[in-house]
Amino acid sequence: MNSLPAWTLVPAALDDLERVTDLKDRVMRADLERLGRWDPDRSRRRVRDSFSTRWTSVLLVEGAFAGSVTVRPDERGGRRLELFYLAPHLQGRGLGTAVLRRLLDEADAAGEPVRLTVLRGSAAQRLYERHGFTVVREDPVDLHLYRPAPEPAPATTPAQARTRLQDRAALWSSVASDGRAVIDAACEALVAGLDGPALRELAACSYGEATTDLDDLLSPALTEQGLVLHPRGSRSADQAALRALATGFLAGELTARELTRVVHQRFGHELEAADPLSCLDDEYDILAYGTRTRAELDADVRTEARRLTGAP
C-alpha cells in the first residue's frame, strides 16, 4: 500500500514565519542540544534570516501546514537549500524524499548544482548522500554538502533516433502506450538529422491529435525511414514491444520490478519470450517468503533483458 499522502508546495506568506520557526524548534532541538548548540534566540534568528516570501515554500498535506523549504540562489552559482523541515508525524513515510526529488529535478532541469548544510550526526545526511550529495567541507558543528549539476546528455545519433522511433511505434502497437511518446520520438529523429515529409508531418502532430491521426501518419513515416509498423496487437508487435521494454530497462527508464510487472500484465506466460520475465514477477510477489534476495532477482532480470536485446 502506498503510504505517501497527497502534498503540494506553495509560496510562503509572512504569517508562515512563526509556523516554520516553531517547526524548526521541534525537529532540530534534540540535535542542537546533542552538539551543545541549542540557543532558542539564535535558532529563531537564523530562521528569520533564511525565510523569504520569494524563496521559501511551505509544504501542505491535505491542506494543512506540514513543513517548509527554502531554495535560493547561491552566491557561488547554483542553488542553496535551507529550512527543509518536515513535521515529525509525517517523517519516515517517503514524503521528505519525494519533496527533495522534485527540488532536485527542478535544479537538474536548469542545469544547476545544489548546496546545503546539515548538522554533524544528522540522519538527514544519509538521505542527501543517496541523492548525489557529498561532503565538501566540515567544521565542529556542520557538514557542508554539494551536489553537482548533471552532465549534459550526449547528442542522439541518427541510428539511435531510428531505433527509438521504431521502439516507440512497437510499444504503441502492442501495449497501447501513449501516442505522445511516438510524436516525441519523431521530433527527436528530426533533431538528430533524420528527415522526410512524412516524418515532419508526424512530428508536427499535436498531442491532442495523437489519438485520432496517429494511425494514418505513423505508417508512412516509418516506411520512409525503412522501419516497420507492426499490426496492432499482432505477435510481431508483441515481440518488438518486449524488446523495446527490455531496452528501456537497460537504459534506466524502468526498474527491474517495473519491467517484470508490465511484461507480466501485458503478455503473461502466453508469449514464450516473455515467460522468463513473467516468472520473475511471480518471484517478486513472494520475495518475503522465499529464499532469494531482491538483488538476485534484479540480476536475473538484467540478464534476461540483455538476452532479449542482444546486449553484451
Side-chain angles (χ1 to χ4, degrees):
M1 180 179 296
N2 183 9
S3 61
L4 189 66
W7 60 275
T8 186
L9 286 173
V10 300
L14 286 175
D15 58 4
D16 289 315
L17 174 58
E18 194 63 27
R19 280 190 284 267
V20 175
T21 303
D22 290 342
L23 179 59
K24 181 193 176 183
D25 288 350
R26 292 165 57 198
V27 301
M28 297 294 292
R29 179 169 180 170
D31 276 336
L32 288 167
E33 288 179 337
R34 171 177 55 82
L35 295 166
R37 300 285 291 183
W38 172 243
D39 181 328
D41 293 335
R42 180 172 56 191
S43 178
R44 288 174 175 266
R45 184 169 61 252
R46 288 192 171 183
V47 173
R48 289 196 300 270
D49 291 344
S50 295
F51 184 89
S52 164
T53 55
R54 182 177 183 182
W55 307 118
T56 303
S57 299
V58 295
L59 173 67
L60 301 180
V61 173
E62 298 178 354
F65 175 82
S68 66
V69 64
T70 295
V71 183
R72 66 171 70 252
D74 188 89
E75 60 185 11
R76 290 159 294 182
R79 306 180 182 198
R80 171 161 287 277
L81 194 152
E82 302 170 331
L83 301 185
F84 189 14
Y85 307 127
L86 181 64
H89 72 281
L90 293 169
Q91 294 177 10
R93 299 173 60 182
L95 182 57
T97 298
V99 175
L100 178 62
R101 185 68 262 165
R102 176 184 293 184
L103 299 176
L104 296 181
D105 285 346
E106 292 172 354
D108 287 349
E112 295 184 341
V114 182
R115 293 175 173 85
L116 58 86
T117 301
V118 298
L119 292 173
R120 278 183 171 276
S122 170
Q125 180 184 347
R126 293 191 296 274
L127 168 66
Y128 294 129
E129 289 177 339
R130 288 198 303 270
H131 286 82
F133 286 87
T134 56
V135 177
V136 294
R137 185 167 61 87
E138 52 187 281
D139 55 47
V141 176
D142 294 320
L143 301 177
H144 303 271
L145 281 68
Y146 176 76
R147 182 180 185 271
E151 293 290 334
T156 302
T157 67
Q160 290 170 330
R162 290 181 76 255
T163 298
R164 189 169 181 83
L165 180 59
Q166 179 70 86
D167 285 349
R168 292 298 176 266
L171 290 169
W172 182 78
S173 296
S174 174
V175 301
S177 65
D178 195 337
R180 293 180 296 181
V182 178
I183 297 172
D184 289 343
C187 294
E188 292 171 5
L190 290 175
V191 172
L194 302 181
D195 200 7
L199 180 63
R200 290 195 297 271
E201 189 174 3
L202 175 62
C205 182
S206 71
Y207 287 161
E209 297 167 334
T211 56
T212 57
D213 296 347
L214 206 55
D215 278 317
D216 296 330
L217 297 175
L218 186 53
S219 181
L222 293 178
T223 300
E224 183 179 74
Q225 301 300 321
L227 304 175
V228 177
L229 178 62
H230 299 279
R232 179 66 67 87
S234 65
R235 189 172 185 82
S236 63
D238 289 346
Q239 296 277 7
L242 180 61
R243 288 192 297 272
L245 289 167
T247 299
F249 161 69
L250 294 175
E253 298 172 4
L254 297 167
T255 66
R257 183 63 204 276
E258 288 169 343
L259 174 63
T260 62
R261 182 179 291 117
V262 69
V263 168
H264 197 179
Q265 290 174 346
R266 176 60 183 87
F267 307 116
H269 298 276
E270 297 177 4
L271 185 65
E272 182 178 356
D275 185 61
L277 288 176
S278 295
C279 289
L280 284 166
D281 189 55
D282 289 332
E283 290 197 57
Y284 277 112
D285 286 338
I286 61 171
L287 187 61
Y289 310 100
T291 60
R292 306 190 66 199
T293 67
R294 177 175 288 271
E296 289 173 335
L297 295 183
D298 290 350
D300 284 353
V301 172
R302 184 166 294 276
T303 298
E304 183 59 22
R306 287 171 174 160
R307 185 190 69 79
L308 288 169
T309 60

